[in-house]
Amino acid sequence: EYQEHFHITNRCVCPGTIFFNSNIDKKAGFNKIVGACNRAKADGLTYLWCDTNCIDKTSSAELSEAINSMYAWYRDSAVCYAYLADVGVFDKAGRGAEEFRTSRWFTRGWTLQELLAPQKLVFFNENWVPIADRQQLAEIIHGATRIHIGALENRDSVPTYSIAQRMSWAAYRRTSRREDIAYCLLGLFGINMPLLYGEGSKAFTRLQEEIIKISDDESIFAWDFVGSQLQSPAGILAPSPKAFASCGSIVRDMSITRSPYSLTNLGVSIQVPVIKTFVHGTVLVGLNCSIGLQAYNFQKDTKLEEPPFWHFPVWIWLRSLGHNIYTRSPNPVSRTSLAAFYPDGID
């Protein structure tokens, strides 16, 4: 987390002489701070920003500014250092690779933006010995996190992934406070919003509402009840990132008609294709996204520059509440896909 141009206050850290009292070296995070300073000095960097001690968490204003700005700070950094305190000797081919894959760093909500935003991210083990950079470890990180390799190899491609795909990257991450699972995703979707600690799961609802204001990507509604907590009744918005755990293959589909939609005091107002079913009050609703699957080429003697890519439009099940108002339904399933030629009789 280093920025050559970032303004550093007297309370932040810069490489050079460090003064500390007799007990500070026993505190958690001390080795991380000193190691980061030494590494930054060795790399010829002028300033260091460290999340361990460069945010005054007693100031709600400073905390809110930091969280809303953090993704941009990582994005604009000269280099970001990821210190993995639970990884020892590393060998990409074997020794230490399992420790790396199972590092707690890959399960924390806040480290997702640290992983994706910087142009250059370098990993270090517990002794501050360099492991490798993000691009070199892309396949291993993909296996540990399910984040798409393209996003790991090129941070500029992150906005091209669907909302559902980006949400899926956070499905198995954890935060100490419930609100932070939403706040740690602000930069990933280009959102700024006030922090309201104490609102609990409403923070994730607010995040989705803010995303809807700036995007027409309907994959935000393609979440599944599998792996999520069932709400009664279930609204159109997901209860948590866990609901997107199975959405890694859901892509934007520009071939499907895209219509504007908006939030109202009754929910989301949207025009979509609808298939009525024989189940009373239950309908299938088509979204402007698809399950994208890359075809496997069985003819080994045929060389293709790009393998075929199949798209299966996504449909979700809704249950009528009357007066043209619907809610999400987990029965018979919460999400399905239909071949593009199937829904000839759409209302």
Side-chain angles (χ1 to χ4, degrees), residues 130-150:
I131 296 175
D133 64 31
R134 182 187 60 221
Q135 287 84 348
Q136 293 169 322
L137 298 170
E139 290 190 9
I140 296 178
I141 297 172
H142 165 71
T145 64
R146 301 187 184 183
I147 296 174
H148 297 72
I149 291 180

Side-chain angles (χ1 to χ4, degrees), residues 71-86:
Y71 192 92
W73 293 349
Y74 292 133
R75 182 195 63 212
D76 297 336
S77 64
V79 61
C80 180
Y81 296 159
Y83 174 61
L84 308 188
D86 52 358

Side-chain angles (χ1 to χ4, degrees), residues 1-265:
E1 303 99 335
Y2 299 82
Q3 305 160 94
E4 293 178 324
H5 62 278
F6 183 60
H7 176 69
I8 304 295
T9 68
N10 292 331
R11 301 171 59 184
C12 292
V13 181
C14 61
T17 304
I18 301 175
F19 299 94
F20 52 89
N21 61 43
S22 58
N23 295 320
I24 198 170
D25 60 338
K26 298 181 176 61
K27 292 187 176 182
F30 176 81
N31 289 334
K32 173 183 175 181
I33 296 169
V34 174
C37 287
N38 291 335
R39 183 69 199 189
K41 183 179 180 181
D43 286 346
L45 296 175
T46 308
Y47 294 109
L48 157 72
W49 185 90
C50 185
D51 58 2
T52 301
N53 66 319
C54 289
I55 302 176
D56 182 4
K57 296 182 180 179
T58 63
S59 169
S60 59
E62 182 172 335
L63 179 61
S64 180
E65 179 184 3
I67 290 178
N68 276 278
S69 305
M70 204 173 294
Y71 192 92
W73 293 349
Y74 292 133
R75 182 195 63 212
D76 297 336
S77 64
V79 61
C80 180
Y81 296 159
Y83 174 61
L84 308 188
D86 52 358
V87 176
V89 178
F90 179 83
D91 179 352
K92 187 175 181 180
R95 188 180 180 187
E98 184 61 25
E99 274 190 346
F100 180 84
R101 280 192 294 267
T102 58
S103 173
R104 181 173 174 268
W105 196 88
F106 293 113
T107 67
R108 296 178 57 229
W110 288 110
T111 57
L112 180 58
Q113 58 185 350
E114 298 175 32
L115 176 61
L116 294 172
Q119 178 69 29
K120 182 178 182 181
L121 171 68
V122 181
F123 292 94
F124 293 85
N125 74 358
E126 60 183 349
N127 298 315
W128 277 99
V129 176
I131 296 175
D133 64 31
R134 182 187 60 221
Q135 287 84 348
Q136 293 169 322
L137 298 170
E139 290 190 9
I140 296 178
I141 297 172
H142 165 71
T145 64
R146 301 187 184 183
I147 296 174
H148 297 72
I149 291 180
L152 296 169
E153 292 180 336
N154 178 14
R155 61 92 180 260
D156 294 330
S157 70
V158 169
T160 67
Y161 288 88
S162 71
I163 292 173
Q165 287 176 309
R166 282 178 277 172
M167 284 290 189
S168 74
W169 300 341
Y172 296 104
R173 294 192 174 243
R174 299 187 296 271
T175 56
S176 299
R177 304 189 67 166
R178 293 177 66 189
E179 297 87 354
D180 283 340
I181 198 60
Y183 301 157
C184 72
L185 299 178
L186 294 180
L188 197 63
F189 296 100
I191 297 298
N192 292 101
M193 69 183 198
L195 312 185
L196 301 173
Y197 282 103
E199 65 176 332
S201 60
K202 291 181 180 179
F204 190 66
T205 299
R206 280 204 300 133
L207 172 64
Q208 293 173 89
E209 290 173 348
E210 292 298 320
I211 293 173
I212 288 173
K213 292 178 183 179
I214 63 170
S215 174
D216 67 347
D217 181 359
E218 294 170 8
S219 72
I220 194 172
F221 309 125
W223 55 275
D224 198 351
F225 284 99
V226 176
S228 66
Q229 294 181 349
L230 178 61
Q231 293 181 332
S232 181
I236 191 66
L237 301 180
S240 76
K242 289 182 181 180
F244 291 92
S246 62
C247 293
S249 297
I250 295 182
V251 299
R252 297 174 180 176
D253 196 333
M254 302 303 293
S255 66
I256 301 176
T257 302
R258 309 175 77 86
S259 301
Y261 54 91
S262 60
L263 289 166
T264 74
N265 57 354

Side-chain angles (χ1 to χ4, degrees), residues 312-333:
F312 299 90
V314 171
W315 295 70
I316 58 174
W317 290 86
L318 300 183
R319 178 170 54 85
S320 175
L321 298 178
H323 306 289
N324 208 28
I325 299 176
Y326 293 82
T327 186
R328 284 295 299 268
S329 174
N331 298 312
V333 292

